[in-house]
């Protein structure tokens, strides 16, 4: 669990935190270069009551470099 996730677990009511985790697990972070994707919650991210994709910079372990990443809703969600 990331530091931000731990802080929110400590300050939010349990029901809200469970909702936050459930919603975040519906998103993934994917490399725009190679396409490797990862569950956003497992990557330490947070996404609550969001509707659109977001572009971010991040490290891709498959490319072994900083790349342009996209946070998007999972196809199976």
């Amino acid at each position: 669990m990331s530091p931000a996730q731990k802080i929110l677990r400590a300050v939010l009511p349990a029901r809200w935190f469970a909702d936050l985790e459930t919603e975040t697990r519906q998103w993934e972070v994917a490399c725009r270069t190679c396409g490797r994707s990862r569950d956003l919650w497992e990557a330490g991210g947070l996404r609550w009551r969001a509707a659109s994709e977001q572009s971010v910079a991040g490290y891709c372990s498959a490319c072994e470099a900083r790349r342009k990443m996209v946070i998007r809703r999972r196809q199976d969600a």
Side-chain angles (χ1 to χ4, degrees):
M1 195 175 292
S2 74
Q5 291 169 339
K6 289 178 184 178
I7 290 169
L8 288 174
R9 183 179 61 184
V11 299
L12 289 177
R15 189 180 79 231
W16 288 8
F17 184 76
D19 185 44
L20 168 71
E21 181 178 355
T22 300
E23 285 192 39
T24 302
R25 287 190 182 275
Q26 295 174 4
W27 294 82
E28 66 184 1
V29 59
C31 176
R32 288 192 185 265
T33 304
C34 72
R36 180 188 184 277
S37 65
R38 185 173 176 199
D39 181 85
L40 183 59
W41 181 263
E42 297 300 324
L46 298 165
R47 198 86 168 138
W48 197 18
R49 299 182 180 169
S52 62
E53 292 184 355
Q54 182 178 7
S55 292
V56 294
Y59 181 82
C60 176
S61 59
C63 296
E64 296 183 348
R66 288 189 56 81
R67 298 283 188 214
K68 230 177 172 181
M69 311 290 267
V70 61
I71 298 173
R72 63 184 178 212
R73 192 170 294 274
R74 293 170 49 149
Q75 298 296 330
D76 57 0

